[in-house]
Amino acid sequence: MAAAALLAACATAEDDGPQGMEAIGDPARAVPVAGETLVTTDPEVDADDPALWADARDPSRAVMFGTDKTDGLYVHNLDGSVRQFLPSGQLNNVDLRTGFQVNGREMVLVGATNDTPGGAGINFYLFDPDTLQTVDYGLVSIGMDEPYGFCMGRRGDEVYAVVTTKLGTTHQWPVSARTGRPRAGRRAGPDPRQPAGRLRRR
């Protein structure tokens, strides 16, 4: 009864609104689940942030990327089935950007923060819009504890990865396929098969 009373109180407060008007769509209506994503690793998967890609020419060609906070990255078909699983560790948030140029081809750059102890960084992946296949593209070490929020953006021709931490700091890197390997203890070199990340803003 107490829970029902609390929910009723919340609904009344929302219905009244700051100007005494109901919001569009009130009262709230139940939305039944139409499908569920499946997992093939840990049955107690800790599913988190999703990112959706759809082909602008044919939206039925679409996949969803979703992180498992204990195991890695899932790539799901729209019916919830697993297309791929990439075991990358303790991933948190995921985002993507289209039009990422690698060896003259436009790929989709997918990134996810990784807070595995001793291996904090950003895992990058390349998604091929023609084959709908995803490959591991490397880890960029970011030299901080517990990366939390994550997104990517574009300014001009450059793609940026932005990470926030639980301490409230924000870090931004330009990501390129032209200038080297990830900063994860590997020797830098002109290898477009790996992303490059360098600290730009703190």
Side-chain angles (χ1 to χ4, degrees):
M1 292 293 292
L6 181 60
L7 289 173
C10 291
T12 301
E14 288 183 358
D15 288 347
D16 290 344
Q19 299 174 345
M21 299 178 63
E22 290 188 357
I24 297 174
D26 283 340
R29 294 174 176 82
V31 179
V33 174
E36 182 179 8
T37 54
L38 304 176
V39 298
T40 57
T41 51
D42 186 348
E44 297 184 5
V45 61
D46 189 359
D48 199 40
D49 199 45
L52 182 69
W53 174 88
D55 190 336
R57 301 162 298 181
D58 180 5
S60 67
R61 299 181 71 250
V63 300
M64 187 186 77
F65 298 90
T67 59
D68 174 359
K69 296 180 79 166
T70 58
D71 289 316
L73 182 73
Y74 275 94
V75 187
H76 292 282
N77 297 305
L78 290 188
D79 63 1
S81 62
V82 177
R83 172 173 286 275
Q84 285 182 262
F85 173 71
L86 295 100
S88 305
Q90 298 178 10
L91 301 186
N92 189 19
N93 294 130
V94 62
D95 199 9
L96 58 84
R97 282 297 177 271
T98 60
F100 187 71
Q101 295 286 334
V102 179
N103 291 333
R105 288 195 60 206
E106 285 199 359
M107 307 290 280
V108 179
L109 180 67
V110 181
T113 46
N114 190 328
D115 60 2
T116 301
I122 307 171
N123 278 90
F124 287 105
Y125 311 86
L126 287 180
F127 174 74
D128 188 330
D130 294 329
T131 65
L132 305 186
Q133 291 297 298
T134 305
V135 297
D136 193 349
Y137 193 43
L139 172 73
V140 172
S141 178
I142 54 180
M144 66 179 71
D145 294 325
E146 291 194 88
Y148 194 55
F150 177 72
C151 68
M152 289 195 289
R154 184 187 300 277
R155 176 176 292 174
D157 293 331
E158 198 156 33
V159 174
Y160 289 86
V162 181
V163 176
T164 62
T165 71
K166 290 186 177 181
L167 296 177
T169 59
T170 301
H171 307 259
Q172 177 179 298
W173 289 264
V175 182
S176 170
R178 298 183 299 274
T179 54
R181 295 177 179 269
R183 294 175 58 196
R186 300 186 179 97
R187 182 176 59 83
D191 186 352
R193 295 171 298 175
Q194 298 287 341
R198 62 187 186 278
L199 184 62
R200 174 64 64 86
R201 181 178 299 157
R202 220 172 171 57

